[in-house]
C-alpha cells in the first residue's frame, strides 16, 4: 500500500524538525560546527563553519566537505570520520587551514537514529592559533631561561623556591628537586649573608626591586660572590604573583679587584716608605753604631752593658720595621736566592720560637714529603715562617692550645687551582700553619693581609706581619690562603714553587761568619750626616782603622785628588746633596780603578746592590748596620792589600 502524499509529508515533519533543531543547536555553539554523513556529505552546519569557506550554510549543505579542502587535509579528515563512524569513538586532532589558522578538530559520533542506516558524525573546529602562539612563546621563554648564562630562580609570593635554571644548579650545586617549595633562607648562611637577605626582604616589602652584590654558600660549602637582582612579578592590577632573581657569579672578578686594591695599597705604602726610610735609617745608624762600639768597649760584668744591649736591640728592631715597611711597596731584594729545604727552615724557626712559647702551647709537626725544595732567600723564608708562628702563638695566649705544622706537596693543574687562584701551574710545596686559638671574624678575613691592619687588641701588633708574609709569597710566585671561624682557630696555607735540585754547598749549610779581625789602614768616610760620620769613625777606630771624614762628595773628591794613594778604602753614602754617592764612585775609580769602595744607603730607589756592583763598588751596606758588619766588609776588601793592590774587574757604566 503506497503512502499518500499527505502521509509522506507528515512523516517528514519530525525529521525536518530535528534538522531545524540541529541547525539551531549548531548555530548556538561557540565552535565552528557541522553535521556529516559518514561519506562526508554535509547535512547541516552553523554560520561560523560556513563562513570559513566563504559560503552560506544552505550552499554547503548536501555537498561533500572534502571537495572544499586541500587533498592532504581532506584525506586526513576522511580517515578520521570513517574511524569515528565505524568505531563510534571520538577523534581529536589539530589541523592548519584557511591561511594558517590552527584549528582543533573534534569528531563525535551522533547517537540515535541514522538516515538510511548511514552513520552521522558531528565535527567541531576551534581556532587555537592564539593559544598555541602563547604556548610557543612560553616555551621559548622557558628555554631561554633554562639556557641563560646567568642563574635564574623563581619564587612564589611567599618567597618559596618554584624554579631554578640549569645555570643556577651548576653554580650552586643545588637541584630543583632539592629546593622546590623551600624558603629562600636556605641559600643564605651566616650573619653577613642573612644581613644581605634582610636588605632584599625590606626592599621587596615596599614593592621595589633590589640590586647589588652578595655572598652565598653553595651546596659543597664554597662561598661565591654574586651580583644579583630580585624583582617582583606582577599580574593584573599590580598584584604580586611571585619574584624573580637573576644571579651572576663575580667571584673571579672580586678576586681580581681585591688584587688590584692590594697592589694600589702596596704602591701607596711604597711611596710613603721611600719618603721616610732614608731619614729614619740615618737616625738609627749612629744609634746602632755607637751602641755597638760601647758594648765592645765594656767588660762583661759592667752594669751598663744591659742598658746598651737594650738600646742596640731596640734600634735593630726599628731597622727591621723600616725594612718590613719598605718590602711592602717594592719588589723584595734578595741577597742570594738559592735552593733550600723548607722543612729545615721550619725546624730552625721553631728552635728559636720554642723557648719563648708558654708551656700551655703544644707543637705538632707532620711532614708528608721529602721534596720540599724551594728557590728563595733564607732570611725572607725565615721571616715568613716566624711571622706566621708568632701570629698563631698570640692567638692562643692565655688559654693555650696546639700549634700544628704540616708540610706536603700540591700539583697545580694547567687550568689552575680554585683554592689558590694566584698560583701558577706546576708542582708546589704546601706549608700549613694551624692554631686552635680564638679564630678570625668573618668581617676581618678580607683585611688581614692589609698593611697596618691588626686584630691584636693589646697594642702589640704593628699590622705588618701578614702583609710582609703576603708580599714575600707573592714575589716567590706562590700563593697564600686562610681558613678560620671564630672560636675554632685559624689555618694559613702557603704554596711555594718547588725547586729542581739542591747544590752540594747548600746541603752542607752556611758556615758561621768569624768575628772581623783588627785591621789597619786609612779610610775616607763620606756622609752628609755628622752623627753618622762620628759613629763610623769611632766604630772603625775600635777595630784599628784611621779615618778621614767629609760631609760632601765634592770635599771628598778634592781630598782624594790631592792624595790619591793616601787612602786604603772609601766608604760613601748614596744620597747626598751635590755630588751623590754613585757619581763620587765613578770619579774616584777614574783616578784609582782598584780602589776598594763601600756604598751605604738608608734607602735609595735609584741604586740597588746590583747597580752598585756595576758602578764598581765592591760592597753595599744598608743602614743601620753594626760596627762589626762594617769592619768585616773592610777586612774582606783589604785582605792581601799589603802585597799589592788586587786586580778588580773593569768598571762598567750603566746603560
Amino acid at each position: 500500500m503506497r503512502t499518500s502524499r499527505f502521509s509522506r509529508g507528515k512523516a517528514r515533519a519530525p525529521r525536518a524538525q530535528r534538522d531545524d533543531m540541529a541547525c539551531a543547536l549548531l548555530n548556538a555553539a561557540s565552535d565552528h560546527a557541522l553535521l556529516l554523513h559518514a561519506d562526508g556529505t554535509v547535512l547541516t552546519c552553523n554560520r561560523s563553519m560556513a563562513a570559513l569557506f566563504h559560503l552560506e550554510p544552505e550552499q554547503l549543505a548536501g555537498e561533500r566537505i572534502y571537495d572544499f579542502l586541500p587533498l592532504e587535509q581532506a584525506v586526513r579528515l576522511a580517515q578520521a570520520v570513517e574511524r569515528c563512524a565505524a568505531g563510534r569513538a571520538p577523534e581529536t586532532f589539530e589541523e592548519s587551514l584557511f591561511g594558517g589558522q590552527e584549528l582543533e578538530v573534534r569528531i563525535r559520533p551522533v547517537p540515535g537514529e541514522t538516515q538510511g542506516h548511514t552513520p552521522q558524525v558531528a565535527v567541531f573546529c576551534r581556532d587555537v592559533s592564539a593559544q598555541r602562539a602563547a604556548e610557543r612563546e612560553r616555551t621559548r621563554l622557558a628555554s631561554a631561561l633554562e639556557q641563560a648564562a646567568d642563574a635564574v630562580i623563581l619564587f612564589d609570593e611567599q618567597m618559596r623556591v618554584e624554579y631554578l635554571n640549569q645555570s643556577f644548579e651548576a653554580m650552586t650545586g643545588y637541584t630543583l628537586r632539592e629546593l622546590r617549595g623551600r624558603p629562600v633562607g636556605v641559600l643564605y648562611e651566616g650573619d653577613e649573608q642573612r644581613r644581605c637577605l634582610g636588605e632584599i626582604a625590606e626592599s621587596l616589602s615596599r614593592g621595589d626591586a633590589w640590586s647589588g652584590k652578595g655572598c652565598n654558600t653553595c651546596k659543597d660549602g664554597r662561598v661565591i660572590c654574586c651580583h644579583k637582582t630580585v624583582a617582583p612579578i606582577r599580574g593584573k592590577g599590580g598584584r604580586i604573583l611571585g619574584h624573580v632573581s637573576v644571579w651572576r657569579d663575580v667571584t673571579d672578578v672580586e678576586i681580581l679587584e681585591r688584587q688590584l686594591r692590594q697592589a694600589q695599597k702596596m704602591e701607596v705604602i711604597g711611596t710613603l716608605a721611600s719618603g721616610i726610610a732614608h731619614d729614619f735609617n740615618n737616625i738609627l745608624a749612629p744609634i746602632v753604631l755607637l751602641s755597638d762600639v760601647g758594648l765592645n768597649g765594656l767588660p762583661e760584668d759592667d752594669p751598663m752593658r744591659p742598658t746598651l744591649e737594650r738600646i742596640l736591640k731596640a734600634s735593630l728592631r726599628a731597622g727591621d720595621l723600616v725594612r718590613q715597611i719598605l718590602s711592602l711597596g717594592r719588589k723584595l731584594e734578595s741577597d742570594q736566592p738559592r735552593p733550600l729545604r723548607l722543612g729545615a727552615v721550619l725546624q730552625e724557626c721553631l728552635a728559636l720560637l720554642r723557648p719563648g712559647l708558654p708551656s700551655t702551647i703544644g707543637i705538632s709537626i707532620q711532614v708528608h714529603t721529602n721534596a720540599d725544595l724551594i728557590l728563595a732567600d733564607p732570611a725572607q723564608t725565615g721571616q715568613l715562617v716566624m711571622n706566621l708562628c708568632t701570629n698563631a702563638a698570640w692567638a692562643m695566649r692565655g688559654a693555650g692550645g696546639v700549634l700544628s705544622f704540616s708540610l706536603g706537596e700540591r700539583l697545580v693543574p694547567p687550568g689552575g687551582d680554585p683554592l689558590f687562584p694566584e698560583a701558577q701551574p706546576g708542582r708546589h710545596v704546601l706549608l700549613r700553619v694551624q692554631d686552635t686559638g680564638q679564630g678570625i671574624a668573618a668581617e676581618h678575613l678580607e683585611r688581614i693581609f692589609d698593611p697596618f691592619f691588626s686584630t691584636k687588641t693589646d697594642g702589640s701588633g704593628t699590622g705588618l706581619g701578614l702583609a710582609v708574609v703576603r708580599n714575600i709569597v707573592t714575589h716567590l710566585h706562590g700563593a697564600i690562603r686562610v681558613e678560620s671561624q671564630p672560636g675554632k682557630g685559624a689555618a694559613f696555607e702557603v704554596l711555594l714553587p718547588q725547586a729542581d735540585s739542591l747544590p752540594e754547598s747548600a746541603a752542607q749549610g752556611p758556615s758561621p761568619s768569624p768575628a772581623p779581625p783588627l785591621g789597619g789602614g786609612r779610610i775616607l768616610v763620606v756622609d752628609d750626616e755628622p752623627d753618622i760620620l762620628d759613629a763610623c769613625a769611632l766604630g772603625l777606630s775600635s777595630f784599628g782603622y784611621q779615618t778621614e771624614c767629609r760631609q760632601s762628595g765634592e770635599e771628598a773628591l778634592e781630598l782624594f785628588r790631592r792624595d790619591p794613594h793616601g787612602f786604603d778604602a772609601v766608604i760613601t753614602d748614596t744620597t747626598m746633596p751635590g755630588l751623590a754617592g754613585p757619581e763620587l764612585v765613578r770619579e774616584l775609580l777614574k783616578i784609582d780603578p782598584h780602589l776598594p769602595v763601600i756604598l751605604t744607603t738608608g734607602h735609595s730607589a735609584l741604586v740597588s746592590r746590583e747597580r752598585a756592583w756595576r758602578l764598581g763598588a765592591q760592597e753595599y751596606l744598608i743602614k743601620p748596620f753594626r760596627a762589626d758588619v762594617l769592619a768585616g766588609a773592610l777586612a774582606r776588601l783589604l785582605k792581601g792589600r799589603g802585597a799589592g793592590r788586587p786586580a778588580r774587574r773593569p768598571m762598567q757604566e750603566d746603560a
Side-chain angles (χ1 to χ4, degrees), residues 84-297:
C84 180
R88 312 298 289 176
E91 292 273 342
T92 301
F93 60 93
E94 290 190 8
E95 193 63 77
S96 178
L97 292 170
F98 311 112
Q101 288 189 55
E102 295 186 47
L103 300 177
E104 182 185 65
V105 181
R106 302 188 306 279
I107 305 175
R108 301 291 185 266
V110 177
E113 180 184 0
T114 59
Q115 184 177 5
H117 303 288
T118 302
Q120 298 178 6
V121 295
V123 180
F124 300 91
C125 297
R126 176 177 297 174
D127 189 350
V128 293
S129 300
Q131 180 181 346
R132 296 297 177 261
E135 290 175 355
R136 285 193 295 271
E137 182 66 16
R138 285 194 297 270
T139 301
R140 187 176 67 86
L141 291 176
S143 178
L145 287 178
E146 194 64 23
Q147 300 178 32
D150 292 338
V152 180
I153 179 170
L154 300 181
F155 304 98
D156 62 13
E157 61 273 16
Q158 300 299 324
M159 291 300 289
R160 294 186 295 260
V161 177
E162 284 191 331
Y163 167 80
L164 308 172
N165 71 346
Q166 294 178 358
S167 295
F168 189 94
E169 293 181 352
M171 179 187 298
T172 65
Y174 288 109
T175 64
L176 180 58
R177 178 178 298 179
E178 293 173 314
L179 295 184
R180 189 193 296 274
R182 301 187 66 181
V184 63
V186 72
L187 299 171
Y188 293 81
E189 298 181 7
D191 295 338
E192 186 67 21
Q193 294 183 25
R194 292 193 181 98
R195 184 192 62 78
C196 179
L197 180 59
E199 293 181 1
I200 295 173
E202 181 181 355
S203 180
L204 295 179
S205 66
R206 300 192 301 266
D208 299 332
W210 183 90
S211 178
K213 286 183 181 179
C215 292
N216 292 87
T217 303
C218 300
K219 183 179 179 180
D220 60 2
R222 291 180 301 110
V223 176
I224 57 175
C225 181
C226 297
H227 185 279
K228 62 183 69 172
T229 58
V230 188
I233 302 173
R234 300 184 184 275
K236 292 183 178 180
R239 177 173 173 267
I240 295 179
L241 304 178
H243 300 85
V244 58
S245 182
V246 179
W247 295 11
R248 175 170 294 177
D249 188 351
V250 294
T251 305
D252 293 340
V253 176
E254 282 292 301
I255 292 175
L256 292 175
E257 290 180 350
R258 192 179 304 121
Q259 292 174 354
L260 177 60
R261 291 194 298 269
Q262 186 73 17
Q264 291 172 339
K265 291 176 183 177
M266 295 300 100
E267 184 178 355
V268 172
I269 294 298
T271 303
L272 174 65
S274 298
I276 67 172
H278 180 267
D279 291 339
F280 195 65
N281 280 333
N282 279 340
I283 295 173
L284 290 174
I287 300 176
V288 171
L289 283 169
L290 293 174
S291 300
D292 200 20
V293 170
L295 278 172
N296 292 335

Side-chain angles (χ1 to χ4, degrees), residues 576-588:
M576 296 182 295
L579 188 64
E583 287 75 19
L584 175 61
V585 172
R586 289 191 184 97
E587 295 299 325
L588 293 176

Side-chain angles (χ1 to χ4, degrees), residues 334 336-342 372-378 380-381 427 429 472-473 475-478 496-503 506:
S334 176
Q336 290 182 346
R338 59 183 177 85
L340 55 90
R341 294 197 177 277
L342 187 56
D372 60 344
L373 258 62
I374 61 172
L375 183 64
D377 178 74
Q380 294 172 7
T381 310
R427 304 198 66 85
V429 181
I472 293 174
V473 170
H475 290 295
L476 291 178
H477 306 290
L496 299 176
Q498 280 186 348
D500 294 332
S501 61
L502 186 65

Side-chain angles (χ1 to χ4, degrees), residues 380-421:
Q380 294 172 7
T381 310
Q383 184 180 20
L384 182 155
V385 175
M386 287 296 291
N387 285 1
L388 291 177
C389 292
T390 53
N391 274 6
W394 185 89
M396 295 183 289
R397 70 198 186 284
V402 178
L403 179 57
S404 302
F405 299 90
S406 175
L407 198 62
E409 295 181 67
R410 190 178 184 93
L411 176 64
V412 177
D417 192 326
L419 294 180
F420 297 92

